[in-house]
């Protein structure tokens, strides 16, 4: 079990013409407001790359930093976030959408990965005794 944040890659396909900021907000809302495991998500949009093979669908990619208030295994965080993400995206944008979340880096690799995307280091914590120091 870990209280260390888990980095995940999020891929979402929604109908063309939907603002990427709206998709990013829905990704964050879906993950943060699910009831199964209380968690937070910091989401950063990745630059668009390539073309989408599905006509009429816009593809958006994000990096998400998932963290829970209590010790939770990384695969549990990813599973719960994936379920909430799919449900939220379909509810908001219709059934002709898809959402995938793949857990990636954690621990020491997290800081390097997040800094390369965001441009600033992420502060890792070891437990509640360090928070607020």
């Amino acid at each position: 079990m870990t209280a260390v944040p888990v980095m995940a890659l999020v891929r979402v396909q929604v109908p063309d013409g939907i603002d990427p900021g709206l998709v990013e907000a829905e990704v964050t809302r879906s993950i943060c407001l699910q009831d199964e495991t209380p968690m937070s998500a910091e989401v950063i949009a990745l630059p668009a790359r390539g073309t989408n093979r599905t006509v009429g669908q816009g593809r958006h990619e994000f990096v998400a930093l998932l963290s829970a208030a209590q010790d939770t295994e990384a695969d549990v965080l990813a599973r719960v976030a994936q379920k909430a993400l799919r449900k939220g995206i379909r509810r908001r944008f219709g059934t002709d959408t898809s959402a995938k979340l793949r857990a990636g880096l954690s621990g020491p690799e997290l800081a390097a990965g997040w800094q390369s995307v965001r441009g600033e280091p992420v502060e890792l914590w070891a437990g509640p005794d360090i928070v607020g120091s």
Side-chain angles (χ1 to χ4, degrees):
M1 302 224 190
T2 180
V4 175
V6 174
M7 184 178 281
L9 176 65
V10 177
R11 291 185 176 136
V12 179
Q13 281 192 334
V14 294
D16 272 340
I18 294 179
D19 180 27
L22 181 60
V23 177
E24 182 177 354
E26 187 59 34
V27 168
T28 304
R29 189 202 64 76
S30 296
I31 294 171
C32 292
L33 294 181
Q34 53 79 29
D35 295 329
E36 191 172 333
T37 302
M39 75 173 77
S40 65
E42 186 172 350
V43 178
I44 300 293
L46 293 174
R49 59 183 176 93
T51 59
N52 193 5
R53 294 183 195 156
T54 308
V55 176
Q57 292 286 310
R59 181 173 60 193
H60 305 277
E61 294 181 334
F62 307 93
V63 171
L65 184 66
L66 309 173
S67 56
Q70 56 194 7
D71 284 348
T72 307
E73 293 181 18
D75 59 336
V76 172
L77 278 179
R79 179 185 54 78
V80 170
Q82 163 98 13
K83 181 180 174 183
L85 178 64
R86 283 184 174 172
K87 185 177 179 181
I89 292 295
R90 286 188 178 136
R91 184 181 328 119
R92 175 77 170 159
F93 301 114
T95 56
D96 192 25
T97 61
S98 69
K100 296 179 183 177
L101 184 141
R102 183 174 54 90
L105 307 174
S106 62
E109 298 169 319
L110 175 64
W114 191 253
Q115 186 168 358
S116 69
V117 170
R118 189 129 192 266
E120 63 185 46
V122 64
E123 183 180 322
L124 299 179
W125 61 90
D129 53 8
I130 294 179
V131 175
S133 313

